[in-house]
Amino acid sequence: MDDLASLSQAIAACRICVEQPIRRPLPHEPRPVAWPSATARILIAGQAPGTRVHASGRPFTDPSGDRLRSWMAIDAATFYDRARIAVVPMGFCFPGLDAKGSDLPPRPECRATWHDRLMAAMPQIDLILAVGATAQHYHLTRLGLGRLIAPTLTETVGNWETILEVSAQPAVFAMPHPSWRNSGWLKRHPWFEAHLLPVLRRRIAERL
Ligand code: SF4
């Protein structure tokens, strides 16, 4: 198993998507934004940095982060306490924009190279916020719960109670992305804020 400190150093210096990309190279210099932790019990597994996080070098320094923190009922100081909360998105570098100006999906090179090693080096994680379909697919499959991945994100998130019931160690919360683009989704699915979030907040408070 890798040592987490040396793994973190190797990730910080990673240039795979420029020098050995699976398809097209990353259109800018890599700037990996991943905050693994040897002590945190909570892991936020998101998608990939957007333009603001690419500029700041800190995860969730954007309106999505504000919403995520309100979902978790924690302040920024707690959120950025790396001893208590790890942040490992499915792609560590901003992947660039598509022709319509939307963020491209997380780079597959990251998952192929780093994620299994990182998760093996953080065995103390016992609560995972799987934010978005890519993170849900990776973590549920890794934990042998791939059967709970539904054809749509709404259905997978709708399975949250079953997922929580069978994923005791670590517990997994399947969640939508906190982006403003999902404001309509949140209005159409009020059970997410009414039922899932109170359970999530309780589990987080128990681990802080
Ligand atoms: S996205 Fe991941 S694999 Fe690609 S350069 Fe960044 S850290 Fe390396």
Side-chain angles (χ1 to χ4, degrees):
M1 189 172 78
D2 295 285
D3 163 66
L4 190 58
S6 36
L7 201 46
S8 299
Q9 274 183 358
I11 289 168
C14 180
R15 296 183 52 77
I16 290 173
C17 292
V18 173
E19 294 172 2
Q20 300 161 292
I22 291 175
R23 291 197 192 115
R24 272 189 292 185
L26 197 67
H28 46 256
E29 277 299 296
R31 187 178 195 189
V33 182
W35 285 17
S37 167
T39 54
R41 295 175 63 190
I42 300 168
L43 169 69
I44 298 168
Q47 294 282 106
T51 48
R52 289 197 198 195
V53 173
H54 180 61
S56 73
R58 283 163 67 84
F60 288 102
T61 47
D62 54 15
S64 294
D66 293 336
R67 179 178 264 169
L68 181 58
R69 286 181 280 278
S70 87
W71 284 356
M72 297 170 74
I74 59 174
D75 59 18
T78 307
F79 185 88
Y80 289 112
D81 180 354
R82 296 172 73 156
R84 294 192 287 173
I85 297 183
V87 183
V88 178
M90 294 311 301
F92 301 151
C93 296
F94 170 52
L97 301 173
D98 66 17
K100 292 181 183 162
S102 299
D103 289 359
L104 287 164
R107 298 286 302 202
E109 292 89 340
C110 239
R111 181 167 161 174
T113 311
W114 300 117
H115 285 71
D116 288 352
R117 294 163 66 187
L118 263 183
M119 292 314 300
M122 296 191 294
Q124 83 287 352
I125 294 290
D126 67 358
L127 178 64
I128 297 175
L129 279 63
V131 179
T134 310
Q136 287 156 21
H137 188 274
Y138 172 71
H139 285 285
L140 291 174
T141 303
R142 177 179 72 82
L143 295 168
L145 302 173
R147 66 186 183 284
L148 297 174
I149 302 166
T152 67
L153 178 133
T154 299
E155 291 170 282
T156 303
V157 178
N159 284 341
W160 71 274
E161 285 173 294
T162 307
I163 293 172
L164 204 52
E165 213 173 279
V166 298
S167 66
Q169 186 62 32
V172 178
F173 279 85
M175 301 170 65
H177 196 278
S179 160
W180 61 269
R181 291 174 197 268
N182 281 335
S183 297
W185 187 96
L186 292 169
K187 280 201 183 119
R188 290 193 303 279
H189 303 94
W191 49 265
F192 174 78
E193 292 183 312
H195 302 302
L196 185 152
L197 288 189
V199 179
L200 174 71
R201 288 169 181 158
R202 197 163 59 241
R203 298 284 187 107
I204 288 171
E206 287 166 3
R207 286 162 174 80
L208 289 175

